[in-house]
Amino acid sequence: MDKLAAVSEIVIVQEKELGETLTGFEARNRYAVNDPVGNKLYTAIEVGNSWLGRQFLKANRPFTIELSDSNDTDDTNILLRVQRPFAWYFHEASVTDTSGRLLGSLRREFSLLQRIYSVTTPSGDKSYLLFGRLLRPWTFEIRKRGKTVGVIRKKWSGVFREAFTDADTFSLEFDPSMDGDEKAFFLGAVFLIDFVHFEGR
C-alpha cells in the first residue's frame, strides 16, 4: 500500500456497467481508487455472493471486497480485504492486509439522531470512531479522541448518475499523522459506508 501512504486524499469511484443501469439487476460492486487528480491507484471488486443473494438482500447482503493494484483481482495480488457479515442494523466489517493481518474492525452503534461507528484496532484500542451528523448525511468525520482527523464525504456525481444509478463517488481525506495501516483501514471503511447508507438509495 505504498501508493496510499504517499497521498493525503483519495477519490473512490463506483463503476457501473450499462447493463446494470438499464435492467436494475444488482451486479457485484466495483470501484476505482484514484488520487485527487484522477490517476488510478487501485481497483476494488466485490467477490462471491450469488446473483439471487444480491437481488433479494440488496444493500444488506454480506460481502467481501478485495483491493488490488491491477484491473482484476487475483489471489497473488490482493492488498486489502474487507469482509462484512449479514446484518439488518448493527452493520460491521473487518479489514485485513495482504498477509491476512487484521488492521481493524468497525461496527455501527445504536443512535437515534446520529450515525456512529466504533472502530477497534487489533490491540483493542477504541480511540477512533466515525461520526455522521444528522443534517450532513453525505459526510462522516473520522474522529480520534474527539478530534477530527479525517473525513469521508460522498461527492455529487452528476444528474444522470444520481438519478438513474446507485453509483457513488467518495473522497477520503487523511490527517498527516495517520500511518499507512490507518489509511488502508479507513479506505476499507468507505465500502461499508457506501453499502449501508448509499447503495440502492
Side-chain angles (χ1 to χ4, degrees):
M1 303 293 289
D2 294 340
K3 291 182 281 190
L4 187 60
V7 296
S8 60
E9 180 182 356
I10 54 175
V11 177
I12 300 99
V13 181
Q14 188 174 359
E15 301 175 331
K16 289 286 185 179
E17 296 180 0
L18 181 60
E20 182 178 356
T21 303
L22 294 176
T23 65
F25 289 125
E26 188 70 30
R28 291 186 179 98
N29 283 7
R30 182 184 179 103
Y31 305 84
V33 180
N34 304 327
D35 67 17
V37 296
N39 298 312
K40 192 169 188 176
L41 304 176
Y42 306 106
T43 297
I45 300 175
E46 180 183 358
V47 298
N49 287 336
S50 68
W51 184 88
L52 282 176
R54 292 196 304 276
Q55 309 321 307
F56 288 104
L57 294 177
K58 301 286 188 183
N60 286 311
R61 66 188 184 265
F63 67 75
T64 298
I65 301 279
E66 294 181 342
L67 182 135
S68 70
D69 57 6
S70 66
N71 287 327
D72 293 293
T73 59
D74 79 54
D75 289 341
T76 62
N77 199 38
I78 303 304
L79 302 175
L80 198 70
R81 183 174 280 115
V82 184
Q83 293 179 294
R84 174 235 185 144
F86 172 79
W88 285 114
Y89 182 83
F90 293 104
H91 307 280
E92 57 185 279
S94 61
V95 183
T96 54
D97 69 6
T98 186
S99 66
R101 180 175 60 97
L102 182 67
L103 300 181
S105 59
L106 67 160
R107 182 178 189 272
R108 187 173 188 182
E109 302 296 337
F110 179 75
S111 176
L112 292 175
L113 300 178
Q114 313 291 351
R115 295 157 301 151
I116 299 172
Y117 289 80
S118 60
V119 174
T120 305
T121 67
S123 65
D125 179 26
K126 294 189 176 182
S127 57
Y128 278 109
L129 64 81
L130 292 180
F131 181 82
R133 300 177 188 274
L134 181 65
L135 298 179
R136 297 180 66 190
W138 285 19
T139 302
F140 288 81
E141 299 172 9
I142 302 170
R143 294 183 174 182
K144 185 175 185 179
R145 299 186 182 93
K147 178 185 175 184
T148 299
V149 295
V151 178
I152 297 169
R153 186 176 288 118
K154 183 183 182 302
K155 302 177 77 173
W156 174 252
S157 300
V159 173
F160 177 81
R161 283 171 66 94
E162 294 290 344
F164 297 105
T165 79
D166 60 359
D168 299 309
T169 300
F170 296 88
S171 66
L172 172 55
E173 301 167 22
F174 304 110
D175 188 271
S177 64
M178 284 191 188
D179 63 25
D181 283 353
E182 291 170 320
K183 290 180 177 182
F185 171 78
F186 287 110
L187 168 57
V190 171
F191 303 122
L192 181 63
I193 295 297
D194 180 35
F195 268 84
V196 175
H197 298 284
F198 302 106
E199 182 80 1
R201 301 294 188 265

